[in-house]
Amino acid sequence: MKKRVLRLTAVFLIAFVLISGIDILSVHAETPYRTYTVDGYGYVQETQTAYLAHATITKFGDKFLDTPSDLYVTENGEIYVADTGNGRIIVGDLEGNLIKVIGEGTLISPKGVFVTEENNHVYVADRDAAAVFEFDENGQVVNQYTKPNSPLYGDNLDFLPIKVVVNEAGVMYIVCESNTNGIVEISPTDGGTFLGYFGTNFADQSIQTIIYRAILTDAQRAKMASNIPSTPDNLAIDKKGLIYTVTRGDKSKTLKRLNIAGKNLIDPDSYDPIPAAVTAGNHDNVYVASQQGYIYEYNNDGDLLYVFGGLDDGTQRVGLSTLVTSIQVDQEDKIYILDSDKCQIQVYEPSEFTNLLHRALYLYSKGRYTESKEPLTEVLKMNSMFDYANQAMGRAYFQEENYDMALRYARLAKDYEGYSDAYWEIRNQWLKKNIVEALLVILAVYIVIRVVKFLDRKKQILAKPKAFWENCKQKKVVSNLLYAKYFMKHPIDGSYGIAREGRASWAAPSILLLIFTIEYIVNKYLCGFLWKNVREGRYDILSDIGVVVIVMAAVTACNYLVCTINEGEGTVKKIYTYFCYSLTPYIMLTPVAFVLTHVLTDNEAFLVTLVQLLMIGWLVVLLILSIKEVNNYTGKETFKIIALTLFTILIMALLIFIIYVLWAQVFEFINSIFGEVVYRLGY
Amino acid sequence: MAIKNKKVIAWILAAAMIAAAPNTISLAAQVEDAAAADEAEESGAQANGETVLDNGEVVMEGAVGKVDESEWVTLDDYELVAESSTYKMYLYEPRLSIILENKETGELLESTLNDAKDDGNSNKSWNGYMKSGIVIQAIVGTVNTYQVDLLTCDNTIEVTKTENGFSAKVFFTEYQFGLTVNVSLEEDQLIVNIPDDSIIEQKEGSYISMISLYPFMGYTFLDDEEGYMLIPDGNGALIHLNNKEGRYSTGFSQMIYGKDIGFTDSATQALLWDEVDMVRSANQVIAPIFGMAHTNQNLGYLAVVEKGDKRASVEAHPNGVMVNYNRCFARFLLRDIYIQPLNNSNSGTVTNVEADRTHTDLQVRYMLLSGEDANYSGMAVTYRNYLLDNGLVTIKDNGYNTRVDFLGTDREEFLMGTKAVTVTTVDNVEEIYKELQAAGISSMLSVYKGWQKGGIYNLPISKYKADSHIGGTGALTKLIKESEENNYHLYLYNDALRLNPSTNSSTFNVVKKVNKRTFKDEFWANVYKTFMYQTSKKSDSTLKKFVKSYTKKGVSNLAVEGISNTLFSSSSRGSFMTRYDCAADYESTLASIDENTNLILQQPFAYLWNYTDAFLDMPLGSSDYMYVDEEVPFLSMVLKGVIPMYSDYVNFEANKTEFFLQMIESGVYPSFYITYENSSALIYTNSSDLYSTEYNTYKDTIIEYDEKLREVAGMVDGALIIRHEKLDNGVTVVTYDNGVAIYVNYSGQEQTADGVTVPAMSYKVGEA
C-alpha cells in the first residue's frame, strides 16, 4: 500500500517535470474539413466552420496511449482515458500533463471508463476481466461487479462489459459485447443486483420480413439470416439522468434518448451509418461521433445543427480521424475525440459562430425568445441560410406577435407548424380588417350578374355571345368535351354513349388529358406551402409529363389487351376515351383544392383532404363503372378485368426492365471491345 | 479488388475475339498480372513492420545494423572538386556524395547519410537509399516500385571534373538505363543538373519513373540539430527538426503546381452519406521551393527547382517516417503508370506505362545560407532576390486597395430549364461604390463574377456580353470606365479553364485523361454537377476572342482564374500533352493577353508571376498537416512590395480577429465577396455555398478594415520585408527595409516586445 502511494507521488512529480505531449496550433485559418448543416428538406448545406482543431494530445507526461477505447472528461477538466492496450486508466489534463494512473495490474483490457462527478469514483468496464471495477479517487478498487447470477440475465450469456455509465443513485448501465438483450442495468446494492435489461432495440420488422415469415415454411425460416436486434454500440448519460445510446444501422433509431422508463424521446433527422460514441452537451444539445471521424451536433429535438470532421485521406491533417472510439464535451464546449488508431485525443474548440448559436440555444430553451433574437440575428448575419436559426427566429417573432416576419422565417426554415400558426394569425387579422369590404365585393359581383341577366331578358344584350356558344357546341370536339361533364354525373349513361353513340374520340379526351397534366403540374409546384411535397425552387416537369404519358399508355394498352381476350367490347379508342373522361373529377375539383391550399392552415387541413378524397372516390367509381359498361361486363368480371390489367402492367414493367438490362449488357460488351481496341491501338 | 470481374471480362473478350485468340489470351494474363502486382504492393506496405523505441527512434524489420567503424567512408575518402570564395565542395565518387564546407565557419553540409551517423535501424534497401546521391524509382513491366540506387544496384560511374564542379555519367547495368549528373558550385550556390539528352533507356520494359536528387541534402538525425525544413504548403510552413517519436507515417509529398488530373482518378474519396465530400483538398504547391535550416550551426539552404519543376514533387519527411532522419528534396517524375479501363463500369482494367517519358532538363539550385541568413527570413529574401535578378517577377504597383468582389447572377432550375437568380446588378455595384466612396474608401479593386450572359457557370466566356439581368453590356462598360476614374478598379472575371457541358457543347476541345477518358470535374451542387476542362489550345482561342471583343469597347480590366493554377497531362486524338506543354500554352496565352489588358490572376503559379498585376487569394494558412509545427507567411514575405496580394474572402472565416491580424502580419490586403441581395436567394443555385455575402451585413466591416489596413499599408508602401520573427510571448515582429517594424500580438494578454506594448489580439506599428 505504501509502495503504491510512493509511486503515485513519483508519478505526480514526473508529470510536472516532463515535457507535455501536446501540439497547440498557434494560428489556424482554414480547417481541412468542411462543416455542413441540414435544411428543412433534409438537404445538406455548407456553413461556417463550427469547431476548429485546437490541440492534439498524443501523450500524458511520458505515457503514450496504446489503442485507447474510451474517454471521460470531468467538469473540472480532468481527462480519463481507458488505455486499453496498456491495461490502465490514464488521468491527465488538457495541457498533456499526467495526473495519475489507475488500475495498473488490476485491469486487463479496460474498454469503458466513467467518472462520477460528486466523489470522483472511477468505473471501468473491463472486457477481458469480465467485470466492472469501481475505483475511489485514490485509485483503490472499491467494488468489483461480475456476471449477475440472476436467472433473468441468461445463463448462457457471457458478461463482457465494454461501456459503462452510472447515474446519481449509483446504478450502472453497462453495454456488453454480444449481448443483444439490451443495456445491463445493475444496482450497487448487495454487491451488485441485476435490475434488468434497459433500452432494448427491436429487430427490424420490414414488410418484406413479415411477408417472408408468413409464406415460408419453418425449415426455410430457420435458414433465413437471423433477425436479432442490434446491441447499442455506446451510451452516455446527461445531468438529468437521461441515457443516450447509439446503435449502428438502426436508421433514425441510431441515436436514442431514453428516459428512466426506457422510452425514446428523440427523433434525429440525420444519422450516421457507423456511430461510435455519443455525449450530451451543455445546452440541451447532443453530440454523436462516427467511427469515420464525422462529428454531429443535434439540438434538443434531434435537428442536426452541424456535421463536420472526416476521415483522414492519408494526408495526415489535423482534425481528421481514422478510427474514433469516444467523444466528450467539456464545460467550455470543447470537443474531445479519441482516435484509437492514431492513439491520440483531438480537441476542437467552438468558433465565434458556434458560441453565438449556443447562446441562442440556451436563451431559447429558457423561453427568453426576445433576448434570443440578438444572437440569432448575429448567426443569420454570418449565415442567412442556417436552418435552425431561421426556425428559432420565426418562433421568436411569433411570440412577439410579429406574424409577417414569423411567416417569412418559418418558410425559410421549412417549419410547417410555425408557418401554419403564423398564417392563421395573419389570415385572422386580414379577415378582421377586410371582412366588410370582402362581403361588399361579393355583393357587388352578385348584383352585376343579376343586372346583366335582367338586361339580357329585356334587351337580349347577350344574344350574340350565346349564339356563338351554341354554334361552338355544334362542333364535335366541344360537344365531346362537354360530354365529359355529363359522363361524370351519369357514368352508366355516359358509358353507353361512349360504347354505342359514337362518343369515343381522340381529340376531346386528349384535350382533357392535357388539362389534367397542366393542373397536376401547377398543383404540384404552386400549391400552398403547407401542402407542398416538393422542394421549393425545384422543378422536374419533364419527368412529370413523362409519368402521365407512360401511365396512360400503359393502362390503355394493358386494359385493351386484357379486354380483347375476355370478350370485352371496348376498342382502343373507347378505352382511351373512358380513361381520360374518368379524370374529369380531378379536373373539376383540383382548382377548388388548389385555392383551398392557399387560404387554409393546418387546423382546417381536413377540408382539403375531404376534397381530395371525394375526387379520388369519384374517379375510382367512374373507372369501374365505365370499364364495366363499355365492355359490357358483369360486376364480377369487371373486378377480374381490373386485377388482370394491373397484373399485366406489372408483367410489362418487368419485361421492359429485363430487356433494358440485357441491352445494357450488350452495350457494355460492345464498349469492352472498344476499350480493348483503344488499348491495343494506343489511340 | 474485383479479380473475379476481371476474369469474367477477360473471358468474354476471349470468346468474342476468338479470331485474335493469341492476343486476347495474353491480355487476360496481363490483367491478372496487374492485379497480382497491386496486391503485392499493398501487402508490401503492411509488411514494413516498425517498432518505436523509447527515445523515439524507429527500427525497421530486417535492419542491417551499424556499419563497422573500419568500413566508414569519412571525409578523408572525399576529394576536393571545387572551391568558391565561400565554400569548398568534396566528392566521394562511388556514392556521388558531396560535402560542402563553409570556409568561414567550417560547418559541413552533407548530401548523403554519413556512415558514422548511420543508426543501423534501416533495412538494406533504405540503407542504399540514404547513402546514394541519386535514387531512381524504376518501372519494370508495369510495376513501378523498383528502387535503383548507387549502393545496392550494379552501376558504372564516369566522373569528369569541370571548371567548378564535376559531371558524372552513371549507368545502371541491370536496368540498362543511365544519366549524367552535373554538379557545380557557383559562389554560394550549388547547382545540380541532369540534361535531358543524357537520360538513356536502352531496354524495352525497363524505364526510369522517378529521380530523387540528393534525397538527404542537409539531413539531420532525430533532434540532433535545431532547425526546420521549409515546405511550400499554403503560404509557407515549417517542420521542426525535433524528435517526432515515430508519430507520423508520411511526410510532405506534393506535386509542384498541383496534382495531375490526367493521371489521378477522382472517384475514390470517402463521402458522408454517399454524397457529401467533407474533406477539403490540401493547398497546391504554388512555388517550386523547399528549404532546410540548421539554426544552431547557422547553416541552411533554400532550394529552387529550376528545371523540370512542372512534373516534380517536393518531399519533406521528418524523422520517424520510415527512417530516423529529417530530409527534404525534389523528386522528378519522368514516366508514370496509369489504369486503362476497358469498359464503362470500370470492372475490367489494365495497367499501362506511359508511352514516352517527359523530355526536359532537370535542375535544382541550392542557395546556401549561413550566419544570420540561415533562417526562413533569409530564405525569403534570397528567393525574392533570385526572382528579381532573373526577371521572374517585376515590381508592380503595390498601392493599397480593399478588394470587394461581386456576384452578378447564377441560375436555378425552373420548369424545363433554368432561370436567373440575380443578386448584384450593375446599378447595385454603382450604389455600393458611391456609398463606400462617401465613407472614405479612396481606392478599390473588384472582381465581378457572374456578369456574363447565362450566369457565372455559363462557361467558357468567349464574348463580351453581359447578362441582361444585371443591366446589359452597355451599362457594365459604362460602370467600369466611370469607376476607373475614381480609382475603383472593376475587373471582369473569366475562368478560361472550365466548360459547362450543360450550357455549351463539349464534343470537341475538352480534356481527356491519359487513358482517353474525358476528364469530369464532379461537384455536389444544385444545378450543374459536372464540369470539364477546355484544352489549352481552346482556352487560348476563347480567351483571346473574349479579350478582343472586350478591349474593343475600351475596357481592359481582366481577372483570370482556372488556367492560372491548373496543370495537367492529357491525350487528344492519339497524341499526348505533358504538363510542360500545358504550362507553355498557358504562359504564352497569358503573356499575350497581358499586353492588351490589365491582367490579374487568381493564385497564380510561380511561372506566371510576371504576368499578373495582383496576386488574388493568397493563402494565409497551411493545409494543417499534422507534422507541420509552424506556419510562416513565406510567400507573403517574398512578394510583399513586389506584387500586391489579396487574401481569401473574409466572409467565410470563422475567426475574424485572427484573420485580420494575419493580414496585418503578412502585408496581404483584405477581400470580401459581396452580393447586394441576401445570400438566401442563392439557396437553389450552384452558389449555395455562399452562405453569407449580403452587402448590408459587411458594409461596416469593409470600411473598418479599409481604414486600418490602409494606414498600415501606407507606412510600408513599396518596402520589402527583411525579417520575420516569432517571439516566445506570442508576438510576431515583421521588419521592413524602410525601418518600420510591425508587432502583432496573437496572445490573449497584453505583451511587450522591443519596448513596444501591444494589447491582446492586436497590433502596433513601430520603428525597428
Side-chain angles (χ1 to χ4, degrees):
Chain A
M1 174 53 101
K2 196 161 189 193
K3 223 175 167 182
R4 176 163 242 151
V5 173
L6 272 176
R7 206 162 73 195
L8 270 179
T9 331
V11 164
F12 261 104
L13 281 173
I14 293 166
F16 281 106
V17 178
L18 278 172
I19 342 136
S20 60
I22 182 165
D23 293 333
I24 295 198
L25 276 178
S26 54
V27 170
H28 31 227
E30 214 178 45
T31 54
Y33 48 83
R34 296 191 175 87
T35 304
Y36 284 92
T37 181
V38 168
D39 76 7
Y41 293 120
Y43 285 82
V44 185
Q45 291 286 342
E46 188 164 359
T47 186
Q48 236 96 2
T49 300
Y51 291 86
L52 297 146
H54 168 64
T56 312
I57 305 171
T58 50
K59 58 175 180 178
F60 292 99
D62 64 340
K63 302 248 184 264
F64 282 98
L65 305 172
D66 182 9
T67 54
S69 32
D70 203 13
L71 181 73
Y72 191 87
V73 179
T74 61
E75 280 179 10
N76 55 22
E78 285 175 2
I79 304 168
Y80 288 69
V81 188
D83 189 4
T84 313
N86 293 319
R88 63 189 177 190
I89 302 295
I90 286 189
V91 189
D93 64 16
L94 184 54
E95 272 74 51
N97 299 315
L98 182 70
I99 296 172
K100 61 190 169 192
V101 176
I102 295 174
E104 239 172 350
T106 317
L107 300 169
I108 302 171
S109 76
K111 289 263 185 185
V113 60
F114 185 87
V115 184
T116 55
E117 287 299 343
E118 56 193 71
N119 54 10
N120 272 329
H121 275 210
V122 183
Y123 289 74
V124 181
D126 193 324
R127 184 191 175 279
D128 291 352
V132 171
F133 293 93
E134 181 184 353
F135 295 91
D136 66 13
E137 67 271 32
N138 300 318
Q140 302 303 319
V141 178
V142 186
N143 278 308
Q144 184 177 348
Y145 305 94
T146 50
K147 181 179 170 181
N149 37 25
S150 157
L152 289 172
Y153 182 81
D155 281 344
N156 301 324
L157 274 176
D158 287 329
F159 184 66
L160 303 169
I162 48 171
K163 301 288 168 204
V164 60
V165 297
V166 182
N167 72 8
E168 277 181 352
V171 175
M172 285 162 278
Y173 296 86
I174 305 160
V175 172
C176 293
E177 200 174 290
S178 66
N179 186 337
T180 54
N181 293 329
I183 297 161
V184 178
E185 197 179 349
I186 293 178
S187 120
T189 48
D190 302 335
T193 311
F194 178 60
L195 298 179
Y197 286 108
F198 180 83
T200 308
N201 287 318
F202 293 98
D204 173 41
Q205 282 287 2
S206 66
I207 294 176
Q208 200 188 351
T209 53
I210 292 170
I211 294 174
Y212 276 156
R213 269 158 201 279
I215 58 175
L216 294 181
T217 63
D218 281 349
Q220 283 171 322
R221 230 179 283 169
K223 273 189 197 160
M224 266 174 68
S226 65
N227 200 17
I228 292 168
S230 35
T231 333
D233 289 285
N234 209 331
L235 79 177
I237 189 165
D238 71 6
K239 289 194 187 102
K240 295 171 199 152
L242 297 171
I243 306 275
Y244 297 79
T245 64
V246 280
T247 317
R248 70 183 62 187
D250 256 9
K251 307 222 164 114
S252 64
K253 297 281 181 294
T254 295
L255 168 65
K256 283 183 176 177
R257 172 167 50 208
L258 303 165
N259 66 9
I260 199 113
K263 189 178 177 303
N264 184 16
L265 305 174
I266 199 168
D267 181 23
D269 57 358
S270 328
Y271 51 85
D272 191 87
I274 341 175
V278 56
T279 192
N282 304 315
H283 314 279
D284 289 343
N285 49 353
V286 189
Y287 297 84
V288 173
S290 149
Q291 196 176 301
Q292 297 164 302
Y294 304 120
I295 301 160
Y296 300 74
E297 181 178 351
Y298 298 94
N299 75 1
N300 201 21
D301 301 324
D303 297 336
L304 185 68
L305 298 175
Y306 304 118
V307 52
F308 68 98
L311 192 63
D312 192 333
D313 52 354
T315 52
Q316 298 205 59
R317 284 184 286 163
V318 182
L320 302 178
S321 316
T322 42
L323 182 66
V324 173
T325 50
S326 185
I327 180 170
Q328 286 286 299
V329 175
D330 72 6
Q331 294 299 300
E332 291 159 353
D333 293 338
K334 284 200 187 84
I335 299 178
Y336 297 68
I337 293 287
L338 182 68
D339 192 319
S340 172
D341 187 61
K342 287 187 173 174
C343 300
Q344 67 176 32
I345 300 166
Q346 180 62 50
V347 186
Y348 301 84
E349 61 176 359
S351 65
E352 262 170 60
F353 182 73
T354 304
N355 282 330
L356 281 168
L357 189 77
H358 282 165
R359 167 131 193 89
L361 273 180
Y362 168 79
L363 290 170
Y364 190 83
S365 70
K366 292 278 171 290
R368 288 147 72 178
Y369 302 109
T370 307
E371 275 176 73
S372 78
K373 264 170 58 192
E374 189 201 316
L376 282 174
T377 313
E378 289 296 316
V379 166
L380 287 174
K381 242 188 204 178
M382 290 206 219
N383 181 356
S384 53
M385 300 185 210
F386 199 78
D387 202 57
Y388 170 76
N390 277 325
Q391 183 186 337
M393 198 74 171
R395 298 285 173 100
Y397 271 118
F398 187 82
Q399 297 299 331
E400 289 181 359
E401 301 183 4
N402 185 343
Y403 303 117
D404 285 330
M405 292 304 276
L407 191 77
R408 195 182 140 220
Y409 280 106
R411 185 155 186 164
L412 275 178
K414 319 298 167 260
D415 175 11
Y416 291 97
E417 210 184 315
Y419 184 90
S420 175
D421 291 346
Y423 190 76
W424 195 93
E425 296 289 347
I426 290 173
R427 191 183 61 187
N428 202 20
Q429 284 176 350
W430 188 89
L431 281 177
K432 270 187 200 155
K433 217 164 92 189
N434 296 311
I435 189 77
V436 180
E437 287 93 326
L439 289 175
L440 281 178
V441 168
I442 293 169
L443 192 68
V445 171
Y446 177 75
I447 289 171
V448 167
I449 292 170
R450 288 309 292 261
V451 168
V452 168
K453 278 192 175 167
F454 175 76
L455 287 177
D456 186 39
R457 265 205 306 279
K458 293 284 169 198
K459 299 192 174 161
Q460 276 83 38
I461 57 159
L462 290 178
K464 266 189 188 165
K466 268 184 178 168
F468 177 74
W469 179 232
E470 284 305 320
N471 203 10
C472 276
K473 270 190 188 171
Q474 299 307 314
K475 292 222 171 80
K476 203 167 169 242
V477 179
V478 180
S479 148
N480 275 346
L481 274 179
L482 292 174
Y483 188 71
K485 207 170 137 195
Y486 177 79
F487 174 84
M488 185 174 109
K489 286 182 191 153
H490 311 278
I492 297 178
D493 277 1
S495 300
Y496 185 80
I498 293 171
R500 315 266 167 200
E501 292 167 354
R503 282 299 183 178
S505 68
W506 291 108
S510 298
I511 292 172
L512 281 179
L513 188 63
L514 183 72
I515 299 172
F516 168 82
T517 313
I518 292 168
E519 279 190 8
Y520 168 70
I521 287 168
V522 167
N523 191 47
K524 181 172 171 185
Y525 294 106
L526 301 175
C527 70
F529 174 69
L530 294 173
W531 275 269
K532 213 164 161 178
N533 298 320
V534 287
R535 195 177 172 194
E536 287 205 283
R538 311 262 75 189
Y539 300 93
D540 194 6
I541 309 247
L542 266 185
S543 67
D544 289 334
I545 294 172
V547 165
V548 172
V549 171
I550 288 168
V551 168
M552 209 56 182
V555 292
T556 311
C558 295
N559 191 237
Y560 174 70
L561 291 176
V562 172
C563 286
T564 38
I565 55 167
N566 282 287
E567 289 146 10
E569 293 171 14
T571 60
V572 178
K573 197 203 260 182
K574 285 177 188 169
I575 288 172
Y576 178 66
T577 307
Y578 68 63
F579 273 125
C580 289
Y581 277 15
S582 301
L583 297 173
T584 325
Y586 184 94
I587 293 169
M588 303 298 270
L589 288 177
T590 299
V592 179
F594 181 77
V595 171
L596 285 179
T597 60
H598 280 278
V599 294
L600 299 184
T601 67
D602 273 349
N603 301 334
E604 308 95 20
F606 71 94
L607 276 176
V608 176
T609 318
L610 196 71
V611 172
Q612 282 165 345
L613 277 180
L614 182 69
M615 192 164 77
I616 291 164
W618 201 335
L619 203 145
V620 169
V621 169
L622 286 184
L623 268 179
I624 294 171
L625 286 178
S626 59
I627 291 173
K628 177 172 180 294
E629 294 302 319
V630 173
N631 292 301
N632 204 3
Y633 286 139
T634 62
K636 210 170 151 190
E637 279 172 332
T638 310
F639 285 102
K640 191 181 107 191
I641 291 299
I642 290 172
L644 276 176
T645 306
L646 291 175
F647 185 71
T648 314
I649 293 173
L650 201 77
I651 296 296
M652 212 161 135
L654 208 67
L655 206 70
I656 291 171
F657 179 70
I658 290 170
I659 291 171
Y660 169 78
V661 169
L662 287 176
W663 265 111
Q665 287 287 328
V666 172
F667 188 73
E668 175 80 338
F669 171 69
I670 294 170
N671 221 301
S672 300
I673 293 182
F674 257 108
E676 166 79 9
V677 170
V678 165
Y679 167 70
R680 283 283 164 206
L681 301 181
Y683 205 73
Chain B
M1 184 146 293
I3 297 173
K4 258 190 191 163
N5 282 344
K6 282 181 188 165
K7 271 189 185 164
V8 170
I9 296 297
W11 277 115
I12 292 174
L13 280 173
M17 303 183 74
I18 209 107
N23 285 342
T24 317
I25 286 164
S26 77
L27 169 72
Q30 219 169 326
V31 170
E32 280 173 44
D33 274 356
D38 278 5
E39 263 172 59
E41 199 177 322
E42 271 167 38
S43 58
Q46 284 159 3
N48 266 323
E50 284 184 355
T51 31
V52 182
L53 302 183
D54 277 350
N55 64 357
E57 268 182 54
V58 174
V59 184
M60 257 182 222
E61 217 170 76
V64 290
K66 293 197 184 196
V67 183
D68 189 68
E69 201 166 339
S70 61
E71 290 169 22
W72 283 1
V73 175
T74 61
L75 196 53
D76 298 338
D77 301 309
Y78 282 69
E79 182 188 352
L80 178 68
V81 286
E83 186 168 357
S84 74
S85 60
T86 40
Y87 286 92
K88 282 181 182 169
M89 177 164 74
Y90 301 91
L91 168 70
Y92 177 66
E93 277 187 25
R95 296 178 181 176
L96 283 188
S97 166
I98 49 177
I99 290 179
L100 292 165
E101 184 189 339
N102 185 318
K103 283 161 85 173
E104 197 181 320
T105 61
E107 296 286 359
L108 300 180
L109 189 75
E110 293 174 298
S111 66
T112 59
L113 178 61
N114 183 335
D115 285 337
K117 289 189 188 167
D118 186 354
D119 59 3
N121 289 344
S122 315
N123 61 25
K124 188 164 171 256
S125 132
W126 270 100
N127 204 45
Y129 179 97
M130 295 190 291
K131 290 175 183 172
S132 177
I134 170 167
V135 179
I136 293 172
Q137 202 171 314
I139 300 177
V140 176
T142 54
V143 180
N144 68 341
T145 49
Y146 294 87
Q147 180 187 310
V148 180
D149 60 64
L150 297 170
L151 273 82
T152 60
C153 301
D154 294 337
N155 62 75
T156 57
I157 300 179
E158 289 168 39
V159 174
T160 28
K161 303 274 154 50
T162 56
E163 195 187 332
N164 43 12
F166 65 92
S167 172
K169 194 170 172 192
V170 186
F171 191 78
F172 293 94
T173 42
E174 187 191 338
Y175 293 90
Q176 289 287 307
F177 53 60
L179 43 79
T180 304
V181 187
N182 301 320
V183 179
S184 59
L185 179 69
E186 294 172 4
E187 283 309 303
D188 51 359
Q189 301 196 347
L190 178 75
I191 299 136
V192 183
N193 169 287
I194 298 176
D196 175 42
D197 50 20
S198 78
I199 302 171
I200 43 168
E201 292 168 329
Q202 291 181 341
K203 195 165 109 190
E204 180 85 2
S206 166
Y207 305 116
I208 296 176
S209 172
M210 291 185 234
I211 301 176
S212 301
L213 272 188
Y214 289 108
F216 264 57
M217 181 65 89
Y219 73 95
T220 65
F221 176 71
L222 289 181
D223 51 358
D224 270 4
E225 302 289 342
E226 270 181 36
Y228 42 75
M229 295 185 279
L230 170 80
I231 56 170
D233 176 44
N235 205 320
L238 304 180
I239 301 173
H240 288 176
L241 305 181
N242 53 11
N243 191 338
K244 305 290 187 203
E245 295 159 337
R247 283 201 298 272
Y248 309 118
S249 56
T250 61
F252 183 78
S253 168
Q254 294 287 317
M255 283 282 270
I256 298 169
Y257 311 136
K259 283 199 180 101
D260 193 341
I261 55 100
F263 279 89
T264 47
D265 238 346
S266 52
T268 47
Q269 314 132 316
L271 301 177
L272 173 64
W273 302 323
D274 296 328
E275 58 179 17
V276 187
D277 182 11
M278 293 290 287
V279 179
R280 282 201 177 102
S281 42
N283 286 307
Q284 304 200 92
V285 174
I286 299 171
I289 48 146
F290 57 94
M292 169 76 85
H294 304 169
T295 44
N296 258 8
Q297 287 178 301
N298 284 334
L299 190 67
Y301 64 78
L302 174 79
V304 180
V305 185
E306 283 188 314
K307 292 177 185 166
D309 55 329
K310 275 129 199 156
R311 204 175 181 203
S313 57
V314 168
E315 309 277 321
H317 301 282
N319 62 72
V321 178
M322 308 308 291
V323 293
N324 294 311
Y325 304 90
N326 307 294
R327 69 278 185 189
C328 53
F329 58 99
R331 191 174 68 186
F332 298 93
L333 181 58
L334 269 62
R335 195 193 290 260
D336 208 352
I337 54 173
Y338 63 93
I339 307 284
Q340 176 67 56
L342 296 177
N343 53 15
N344 275 357
S345 60
N346 284 338
S347 55
T349 57
V350 285
T351 308
N352 256 1
V353 181
E354 224 179 293
D356 194 10
R357 70 171 170 86
T358 309
H359 286 280
T360 173
D361 290 356
L362 314 174
Q363 181 165 315
V364 181
R365 182 182 294 265
Y366 294 92
M367 294 183 260
L368 305 167
L369 305 167
S370 59
E372 290 217 328
D373 291 332
N375 52 42
Y376 64 86
S377 299
M379 291 179 194
V381 173
T382 309
Y383 187 44
R384 182 170 59 222
N385 292 338
Y386 168 81
L387 291 172
L388 289 169
D389 294 347
N390 290 291
L392 298 171
V393 291
T394 41
I395 291 185
K396 313 276 175 167
D397 175 12
N398 277 276
Y400 177 87
N401 290 306
T402 295
R403 171 178 165 210
V404 177
D405 288 3
F406 300 103
L407 173 63
T409 175
D410 198 355
R411 313 289 292 184
E412 70 178 32
E413 279 179 9
F414 183 71
L415 300 178
M416 275 177 231
T418 58
K419 74 171 182 193
V421 178
T422 307
V423 282
T424 320
T425 64
V426 169
D427 288 346
N428 297 151
V429 174
E430 205 174 344
E431 185 188 331
I432 292 171
Y433 274 180
K434 276 196 184 125
E435 268 190 55
L436 293 178
Q437 206 163 13
I441 298 185
S442 57
S443 68
M444 183 173 289
L445 180 140
S446 289
V447 177
Y448 202 168
K449 299 185 178 178
W451 58 270
Q452 76 270 33
K453 187 172 166 22
I456 181 167
Y457 291 109
N458 183 13
L459 297 170
I461 309 168
S462 55
K463 230 180 6 194
Y464 177 46
K465 187 154 181 25
D467 196 285
S468 58
H469 297 94
I470 64 158
T473 315
L476 183 58
T477 312
K478 189 164 154 262
L479 173 72
I480 299 174
K481 283 184 180 165
E482 282 178 4
S483 45
E484 191 70 24
E485 285 164 20
N486 299 325
N487 259 331
Y488 274 48
H489 313 286
L490 182 63
Y491 287 77
L492 290 193
Y493 167 88
N494 196 331
D495 181 329
L497 176 68
R498 286 176 186 82
L499 180 144
N500 182 349
S502 314
T503 60
N504 287 279
S505 156
S506 62
T507 325
F508 304 106
N509 302 317
V510 292
V511 168
K512 292 200 168 85
K513 297 197 283 189
V514 288
N515 60 13
K516 288 115 200 162
R517 301 291 153 133
T518 303
F519 170 74
K520 286 179 183 156
D521 207 3
E522 311 266 0
F523 290 90
W524 188 76
N526 283 312
V527 184
Y528 308 119
K529 294 175 175 33
T530 305
F531 287 84
M532 296 173 184
Y533 285 0
Q534 300 189 89
T535 58
S536 49
K537 298 277 184 287
K538 185 72 181 162
S539 290
D540 181 73
S541 67
T542 47
L543 197 56
K544 280 184 178 155
K545 216 166 117 193
F546 166 74
V547 168
K548 209 172 152 193
S549 73
Y550 183 47
T551 45
K552 211 160 71 187
K553 293 271 159 60
V555 275
S556 57
N557 289 347
L558 176 64
V560 172
E561 196 191 310
I563 64 170
S564 60
N565 51 26
T566 314
L567 270 192
F568 46 81
S569 310
S570 58
S571 63
S572 79
R573 303 197 192 103
S575 70
F576 184 75
M577 266 193 76
T578 64
R579 281 161 69 102
Y580 296 91
D581 301 331
C582 184
D585 281 352
Y586 286 164
E587 197 174 340
S588 88
T589 305
L590 292 172
S592 91
I593 283 169
D594 188 35
E595 286 168 14
N596 306 324
T597 58
N598 302 324
L599 183 64
I600 56 176
L601 299 177
Q602 193 249 353
Q603 219 172 74
F605 288 150
Y607 60 93
L608 297 174
W609 286 351
N610 233 344
Y611 310 111
T612 184
D613 295 338
F615 193 119
L616 304 183
D617 298 352
M618 171 61 88
L620 287 181
S622 73
S623 308
D624 285 338
Y625 293 113
M626 293 184 73
Y627 44 79
V628 162
D629 296 285
E630 199 178 334
E631 293 175 350
V632 289
F634 183 81
L635 286 182
S636 311
M637 288 157 67
V638 171
L639 294 179
K640 176 68 184 167
V642 179
I643 304 176
M645 299 165 286
Y646 296 87
S647 72
D648 283 329
Y649 295 126
V650 174
N651 311 36
F652 310 113
E653 290 303 323
N655 284 354
K656 294 214 162 63
T657 328
E658 218 167 64
F659 193 71
F660 176 77
L661 292 180
Q662 279 180 297
M663 287 193 284
I664 296 269
E665 176 193 338
S666 53
V668 169
Y669 304 151
S671 302
F672 295 85
Y673 199 6
I674 292 300
T675 57
Y676 188 79
E677 306 292 335
N678 189 297
S679 48
S680 59
L682 294 167
I683 195 161
Y684 302 118
T685 68
N686 263 37
S687 307
S688 64
D689 55 338
L690 305 181
Y691 43 80
S692 174
T693 52
E694 200 187 1
Y695 169 62
N696 280 334
T697 316
Y698 284 100
K699 188 186 162 189
D700 297 340
T701 321
I702 295 172
I703 296 167
E704 183 198 332
Y705 276 34
D706 181 85
E707 196 181 322
K708 290 183 181 162
L709 286 161
R710 191 181 290 275
E711 190 197 351
V712 175
M715 286 188 255
V716 295
D717 190 27
L720 305 172
I721 296 177
I722 50 171
R723 210 172 62 221
H724 179 278
E725 234 180 326
K726 288 183 185 175
L727 307 180
D728 291 339
N729 57 9
V731 176
T732 302
V733 190
V734 186
T735 317
Y736 284 78
D737 64 355
N738 66 350
V740 172
I742 295 174
Y743 298 84
V744 183
N745 180 4
Y746 284 106
S747 73
Q749 293 89 38
E750 184 180 277
Q751 300 286 2
T752 308
D754 301 345
V756 179
T757 307
V758 195
M761 290 304 275
S762 184
Y763 69 96
K764 272 265 168 68
V765 181
E767 297 284 317

